[in-house]
Amino acid sequence: MTDLHRPVLVVDFGAQYAQLIARRVRELNVFSEIVRSDVSAADAAAREPLAIVLSGGPKSVHVDGAPRLDPAIYDLGVPILGICYGAQLIAHQLGGLVDHSSRGEYGRSMLTRTGPSSVLDPEAPESHPVWMSHFDAITEVPDGFVATGSTPDAPVAVLEHDERRIYGLQFHPEVVHSPYGMGALRRFLHGCAGIAPDWTMGLVIDEQVAQIRDTVGESRVICALSGGVDSSVAAALVHRAIGHQLTCVYVDTGLMRHGESDQVVETFRRNMGIELIHAAAADRFFDALAGVVDPEEKRKVIGEQFIRVFEQHTGGLTEAEFLVQGTLYPDLIESGGVDGQASVIKSHHNVGGLPEDMTLRLVEPLRDLFKDEVRALGSELGLPDEIVWRQPFPGPGLGVRILGEVTRERVAMLRVADRIVREELAAAGLERSIWQAFAVLAADVRSVGVMGDERTYGHPVIVRAVTSEDAMTADWARLPYEVLETISQRIVNEVAGVNRVAYDVTSKPPGTIEWE
């Protein structure tokens, strides 16, 4: 295995820390993979890691059942960086002292250097802000280690052993609240571990093109193209590898956003020269959704119809052996499938759930990437910004953004409201800072309003906008009041039957990003 294929292993000790750390490592042009905390030394060594990072976590090292690291990993000779819980675990397992009775430290704190450091950012001042989130504190370092930094409530905020190349940071360098944190990660990866910053999207394209060609050979490949970022980039990448062997099927459900279907056809069939089957099936979906109001039943109906339309339009492609899917790395993490590779497609959120007897083999060229990396890859492949920066969109489309029965009239109303939300965010320069923004039509609710000199009895529209890095957690976006005002005025004036606009200020958790 060449160094370009060897990962930095991020050991997951809980919460959301591991994903963010893995992303930050990749931002420094070094490939990373997440592994479970119970990874054995033998399994870790088999991956030939260039370095190992121990994530933070919610437990105390003194609690029964708290995750531990296989002690033999410390003797692999691989550079190790422990962060927060990971730093305490290093101290605890290697003979130092972690005090369980100390005062906790949460939020911003000031770190002061107490000695020459190989891992702290050399550009950081002697005292600089860091982000803390811990109750226990390291009070004595193991033999051979030195303490090189402290905070008011963490006497050992940085510990280092240059000879063994094992380091610990009590603070969180991966969060933006630690302004010199990325500098510390950079120094560990490029300096202490000696890893060259040469993992790039160009490299990913070259590797995936070669792998796809090797896997597929001369076989036919089909792709269920949703028009979203993931399936679009996956299709473009596979097309780069095998050209005319790929056929994309775009199932037009009638539940897409404004102008989306035309854009998909224009981009893939005309501009990129990809063989595209445009399955216009809106009538079929609306007929099947008549009278259906339960959200889960809607998803089931839409998924079932998608399957039938997809089968109908791929029936003539009997020689196809592979199916392209835009599975991403977070999908695998959430499904527990990071360490395994399925060979037969059964069910997946990207295509609404395919039949169990479908024996096509999977091609998942994005399975190692996060969403922001997929966007960068799409740009590298030459996809237009309208596709690359398209916000996430649920497989069932606008059907699950209507509270109540889905009808043509209601979809038309919501489509206009949704277009207004996205237009105004773009006009305000906020489109790329928002993870997802959309409108929800409360079709089964009516409220009293006044328009002109008349009372109205119309539907409310709920506007939802969130910020996130991976959709596993999300915060409601603090949109400027003037933007919200313009959105509200336009929706009420331009969408017949709507007389009230509300803004959703619920984060995830406890809410979800979508309403249904």
Side-chain angles (χ1 to χ4, degrees), residues 220 222 247-249 277 279 306-320 358 360:
R220 294 285 294 174
I222 57 176
T247 299
C248 291
V249 179
I277 297 173
F306 186 102
I307 293 167
R308 301 284 81 85
V309 175
F310 185 79
E311 287 180 328
Q312 175 186 339
H313 286 84
T314 56
L317 301 173
T318 54
E319 73 277 20
M358 197 173 221
L360 295 169

Side-chain angles (χ1 to χ4, degrees), residues 416-427:
V416 176
D418 180 82
R419 173 176 57 80
I420 291 169
V421 171
R422 293 186 290 121
E423 284 178 351
E424 291 305 322
L425 289 181

Side-chain angles (χ1 to χ4, degrees), residues 52-55 80-87 90 167-171:
I52 296 173
V53 179
L54 312 181
S55 85
I80 296 175
L81 174 66
I83 295 174
C84 196
Y85 178 86
I90 288 172
Y167 308 86
L169 303 175
Q170 180 62 74
F171 63 93

Side-chain angles (χ1 to χ4, degrees), residues 32 102 165 250-251 260 268 273 276 323 355 411 440:
S32 63
S102 62
R165 295 193 295 174
Y250 173 59
V251 178
E260 212 155 38
F268 288 90
L276 175 68
L323 175 70
V411 168
V440 175

Side-chain angles (χ1 to χ4, degrees), residues 176-497:
V176 295
H177 308 293
S178 294
Y180 297 95
M182 285 296 283
L185 282 176
R186 181 182 294 108
R187 198 169 189 201
F188 168 72
L189 294 170
H190 302 332
C192 302
I195 306 172
D198 48 16
W199 188 75
T200 65
M201 286 303 105
L203 172 69
V204 171
I205 291 173
D206 291 343
E207 289 182 335
Q208 283 299 321
V209 164
Q211 184 175 326
I212 291 165
R213 288 173 177 167
D214 183 62
T215 300
V216 170
E218 300 299 320
S219 301
R220 294 285 294 174
V221 180
I222 57 176
C223 174
L225 188 65
S226 69
V229 178
D230 304 340
S231 68
S232 297
V233 174
L237 183 53
V238 172
H239 184 256
R240 171 76 65 91
I242 60 172
H244 69 277
Q245 293 171 240
L246 172 69
T247 299
C248 291
V249 179
Y250 173 59
V251 178
D252 189 347
T253 64
L255 304 172
M256 306 302 287
R257 291 173 288 198
H258 175 78
E260 212 155 38
S261 293
D262 291 341
Q263 188 181 67
V264 168
V265 173
E266 181 72 21
T267 298
F268 288 90
R269 181 184 289 168
R270 298 188 181 94
N271 294 348
M272 298 187 66
I274 295 178
E275 184 179 339
L276 175 68
I277 297 173
H278 181 191
D283 290 343
R284 181 169 184 162
F285 281 86
F286 283 115
D287 289 345
L289 286 166
V292 179
V293 296
D294 180 75
E296 288 306 312
E297 184 64 20
K298 285 184 196 175
R299 289 181 179 272
K300 182 178 178 181
V301 168
I302 294 170
E304 174 69 19
Q305 292 305 313
F306 186 102
I307 293 167
R308 301 284 81 85
V309 175
F310 185 79
E311 287 180 328
Q312 175 186 339
H313 286 84
T314 56
L317 301 173
T318 54
E319 73 277 20
E321 296 183 21
F322 294 89
L323 175 70
V324 177
Q325 286 200 155
T327 309
L328 304 190
Y329 198 49
D331 299 332
L332 299 177
I333 295 169
E334 288 188 315
S335 66
V338 173
D339 295 324
Q341 295 197 9
S343 59
V344 177
I345 175 63
K346 289 189 178 180
S347 150
H348 195 278
H349 71 282
N350 281 337
V351 290
L354 293 174
E356 292 189 1
D357 59 356
M358 197 173 221
T359 57
L360 295 169
R361 287 183 286 169
L362 282 181
V363 175
E364 296 175 304
L366 311 179
R367 60 180 287 126
D368 289 332
L369 303 181
F370 290 99
K371 176 72 81 172
D372 56 333
E373 295 167 335
V374 171
R375 295 192 195 278
L377 186 66
S379 294
E380 190 89 9
L381 288 166
L383 285 172
D385 284 353
E386 291 79 7
I387 294 287
V388 170
W389 288 99
R390 179 168 288 165
Q391 291 183 356
F393 191 53
L398 297 178
V400 291
R401 291 180 179 172
I402 294 174
L403 310 184
E405 183 182 5
V406 178
T407 66
R408 286 183 178 274
E409 294 72 24
R410 290 174 173 181
V411 168
M413 291 170 63
L414 180 56
R415 188 175 284 127
V416 176
D418 180 82
R419 173 176 57 80
I420 291 169
V421 171
R422 293 186 290 121
E423 284 178 351
E424 291 305 322
L425 289 181
L430 297 172
E431 194 173 34
R432 294 195 183 184
S433 64
I434 301 296
W435 175 267
Q436 206 166 341
F438 54 89
V440 175
L441 177 65
D444 281 354
V445 177
R446 288 183 181 271
S447 65
V448 175
V450 177
M451 290 185 175
D453 296 326
E454 297 182 358
R455 288 167 65 86
T456 61
Y457 196 49
H459 301 290
V461 161
I462 301 98
V463 175
R464 178 77 159 142
V466 299
T467 58
S468 180
E469 292 203 350
D470 50 26
M472 297 185 74
T473 59
D475 194 13
W476 62 276
R478 273 65 170 176
L479 298 181
Y481 288 152
E482 58 270 21
V483 174
L484 288 172
E485 181 181 26
T486 303
I487 289 173
S488 176
Q489 289 176 343
R490 285 196 60 192
I491 289 176
V492 171
N493 289 336
E494 297 177 32
V495 184

